[in-house]
């Protein structure tokens, strides 16, 4: 799934070496690393392989990380964390700057590690900069760090605006009659499957399309109706082709611990594609999208169905698209990356000044 980390790291890669260290796979007779280049983002991905009996062995992970750093002659680097749990095997590193890009409240997710909050507290102590993936998350975390900044969901507008011009349908979607109401993303505990089932029952003449992998929930629990269609995972490159064939987009998120702080990247993507959008009352969707009437907000199945019907009737309103385009005008992953890069530069300069003072003018 091509999301925030891929957008940002692919841009840093233009100026620096970037290595993404993934979680280990326990399938090896002896420890080793596999390094490959991610085809979409271009960054190098490091996959540690460990013996099954080493599961949970922090020292084994640390040794593989050190071996990799030595093999690539990495001496002056930035440590960028997406999961606080990675601190368990990397806390000994001495990066020039440590960054925590806090995308979500991971402790609220299904099967979350009970040690997540402990390691996040440690990471807040170690980090020089903290970014948050949304404003609601920023409000929840802002008192935990002195240098924390909100960078909500952004967008590659030109990529998704292509959906406005696409006429030919992908084969697996072309056979589905309209009106088509679509969703793409990870299908997990954040999706309100009861709401989806009720919607499909209330509006049997509408067809609901879901694109994405099913994760952490039993696929057998997903609602099955003639007007609900699961098309599986598609590449980032393919998404505009599917979006182009939808009459509108939906975000039927559940209201639970896992969604309390989400800032869905798909919100501006759906809008850039020119589609009307209906969402449940997710905080970072209500503010600003709902308040600006760019996205319709509804929580119950009857309300959601009514909002869909109203949105379909007004989907060709040129004023709506003008309003969307004006709002999205200054939002881009390039701007997000540049803002982050400036803050990193300031942190590096600050650290150099401190080092210079300690070493009586010696530049390190």
């Amino acid at each position: 799934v091509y999301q925030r980390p891929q957008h940002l790291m692919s841009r840093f890669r233009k100026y620096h070496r970037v290595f993404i260290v993934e979680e280990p796979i326990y399938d090896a007779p002896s420890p080793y690393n596999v390094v490959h280049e991610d085809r979409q983002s271009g960054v190098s991905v490091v996959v540690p392989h460990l013996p099954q009996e080493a599961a949970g062995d922090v020292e084994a992970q640390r040794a593989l990380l050190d071996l990799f750093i030595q093999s690539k002659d990495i001496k002056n680097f930035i440590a960028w964390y997406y999961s606080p749990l990675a601190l368990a095997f990397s806390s000994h590193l001495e990066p020039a700057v440590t960054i925590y890009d806090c995308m979500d409240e991971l402790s609220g997710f299904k099967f979350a590690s009970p040690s997540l909050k402990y390691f996040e507290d440690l990471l807040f102590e170690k980090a020089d900069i903290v970014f948050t993936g949304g404003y609601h998350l920023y409000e929840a975390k802002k008192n935990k760090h002195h240098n924390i900044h909100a960078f909500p969901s952004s967008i590659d507008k030109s990529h998704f605006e292509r959906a406005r011009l696409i006429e030919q349908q992908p084969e697996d979607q072309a056979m589905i009659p309209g009106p088509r109401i679509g969703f793409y993303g990870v299908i997990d505990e954040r999706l309100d499957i009861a709401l989806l089932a009720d919607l499909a029952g209330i509006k049997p003449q509408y067809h609901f399309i879901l694109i994405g992998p099913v994760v952490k929930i039993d696929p057998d629990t997903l609602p099955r109706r003639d007007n609900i269609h699961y098309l599986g995972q598609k590449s980032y490159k393919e998404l505009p082709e599917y979006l182009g064939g939808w009459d509108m987009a939906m975000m039927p998120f559940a209201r639970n611990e896992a969604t309390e702080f989400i800032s869905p990247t798909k919100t501006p993507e759906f809008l850039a594609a020119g589609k009307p959008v209906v969402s449940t009352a997710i905080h970072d969707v209500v503010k600003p999208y709902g308040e600006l009437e760019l996205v319709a907000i509804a929580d119950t199945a009857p309300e959601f169905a009514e909002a869909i019907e109203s949105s379909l009737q007004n989907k060709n309103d040129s004023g709506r698209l003008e309003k969307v385009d004006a709002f999205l005008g200054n939002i881009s992953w390039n701007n997000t990356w540049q803002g982050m890069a400036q803050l990193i530069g300031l942190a590096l300069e600050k650290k150099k000044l401190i080092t210079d003072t300690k070493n009586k003018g010696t530049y390190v």
Side-chain angles (χ1 to χ4, degrees):
V1 179
Y2 201 90
Q3 294 183 332
R4 181 187 182 97
Q6 290 82 0
H7 281 292
L8 293 174
M9 293 304 125
S10 64
R11 284 162 173 79
F12 278 112
R13 178 187 168 273
K14 295 177 181 178
Y15 306 95
H16 311 280
R17 291 189 296 171
V18 177
F19 301 101
I20 302 290
V21 181
E22 293 196 337
E23 295 181 356
I25 297 175
Y26 298 100
D27 65 347
S30 57
Y32 64 91
N33 289 310
V34 172
V35 184
H36 69 273
E37 183 177 292
D38 179 71
R39 287 182 296 177
Q40 292 191 82
S41 65
V43 305
S44 296
V45 180
V46 184
V47 185
H49 289 257
L50 292 165
Q52 183 64 47
E53 58 270 21
D57 186 341
V58 172
E59 294 302 323
Q61 292 186 61
R62 183 174 297 160
L64 270 183
L65 177 61
D66 289 344
L67 179 65
F68 172 76
I69 290 174
Q70 183 180 3
S71 71
K72 296 296 182 181
D73 194 29
I74 300 171
K75 295 177 180 176
N76 185 27
F77 63 96
I78 291 170
W80 186 295
Y81 288 85
Y82 277 109
S83 171
L85 294 176
L87 200 61
F89 62 87
S90 63
S91 60
H92 65 295
L93 299 180
E94 297 181 0
V97 167
T98 298
I99 296 166
Y100 176 29
D101 190 7
C102 181
M103 285 177 57
D104 217 320
E105 182 57 80
L106 298 177
S107 62
F109 280 30
K110 196 171 185 177
F111 307 130
S113 169
S115 59
L116 251 172
K117 289 189 175 181
Y118 167 77
F119 280 108
E120 184 175 73
D121 287 341
L122 291 182
L123 187 51
F124 273 121
E125 292 179 15
K126 186 177 179 67
D128 297 289
I129 311 173
V130 176
F131 302 129
T132 66
Y135 291 114
H136 193 36
L137 192 58
Y138 169 80
E139 291 296 326
K141 305 284 186 182
K142 67 181 180 181
N143 294 326
K144 294 190 174 185
H145 200 271
H146 65 282
N147 191 15
I148 184 169
H149 307 269
F151 281 92
S153 300
S154 198
I155 185 176
D156 180 354
K157 286 193 293 292
S158 61
H159 181 70
F160 289 96
E161 283 175 346
R162 289 172 41 219
R164 302 187 188 189
L165 304 174
I166 288 173
E167 296 179 358
Q168 187 172 354
Q169 293 289 303
E171 281 188 25
D172 55 349
Q173 184 170 275
M175 65 186 71
I176 301 172
R180 302 188 189 102
I181 296 92
F183 168 91
Y184 63 67
V186 178
I187 299 171
D188 57 15
E189 75 274 18
R190 291 171 292 179
L191 191 73
D192 191 335
I193 58 177
L195 174 61
L196 177 63
D198 290 344
L199 271 175
I202 293 172
K203 293 292 184 182
Q205 72 274 33
Y206 295 165
H207 287 262
F208 299 90
I209 296 171
L210 291 97
I211 292 172
V214 180
V215 178
K216 293 188 291 182
I217 61 173
D218 184 351
D220 290 339
T221 64
L222 295 175
R224 306 287 173 176
R225 292 179 180 270
D226 291 342
N227 61 335
I228 300 179
H229 311 269
Y230 301 97
L231 302 188
Q233 186 167 348
K234 308 298 177 185
S235 70
Y236 181 74
K237 182 180 179 181
E238 293 175 295
L239 292 179
E241 298 176 15
Y242 285 87
L243 267 168
W246 297 353
D247 293 282
M248 65 177 298
M250 63 176 177
M251 297 193 297
F253 288 113
R255 304 294 303 283
N256 56 32
E257 283 187 331
T259 62
E260 184 177 358
F261 296 102
I262 62 172
S263 179
T265 306
K266 57 183 64 61
T267 313
E269 292 173 351
F270 289 161
L271 290 172
K275 304 303 173 184
V277 184
V278 179
S279 173
T280 48
I282 299 302
H283 187 281
D284 279 9
V285 178
V286 174
K287 297 182 179 181
Y289 298 100
E291 292 180 345
L292 294 175
E293 298 183 347
L294 299 172
V295 172
I297 305 297
D299 276 323
T300 68
E303 291 171 348
F304 214 99
E306 184 179 344
I308 288 175
E309 188 167 339
S310 176
S311 297
L312 286 173
Q313 290 173 357
N314 298 297
K315 71 173 185 175
N316 295 320
D317 180 7
S318 60
R320 180 184 63 82
L321 283 178
E322 288 174 6
K323 195 174 179 181
V324 164
D325 291 341
F327 177 82
L328 296 178
N330 294 318
I331 300 175
S332 73
W333 283 115
N334 283 336
N335 289 347
T336 298
W337 169 78
Q338 287 172 359
M340 289 179 167
Q342 288 174 358
L343 290 168
I344 293 168
L346 290 173
L348 284 166
E349 287 300 318
K350 183 179 179 180
K351 279 206 160 184
K352 287 173 185 176
L353 287 172
I354 293 171
T355 303
D356 289 350
T357 302
K358 286 182 178 178
N359 291 285
K360 297 180 181 180
T362 303
Y363 184 80
V364 177

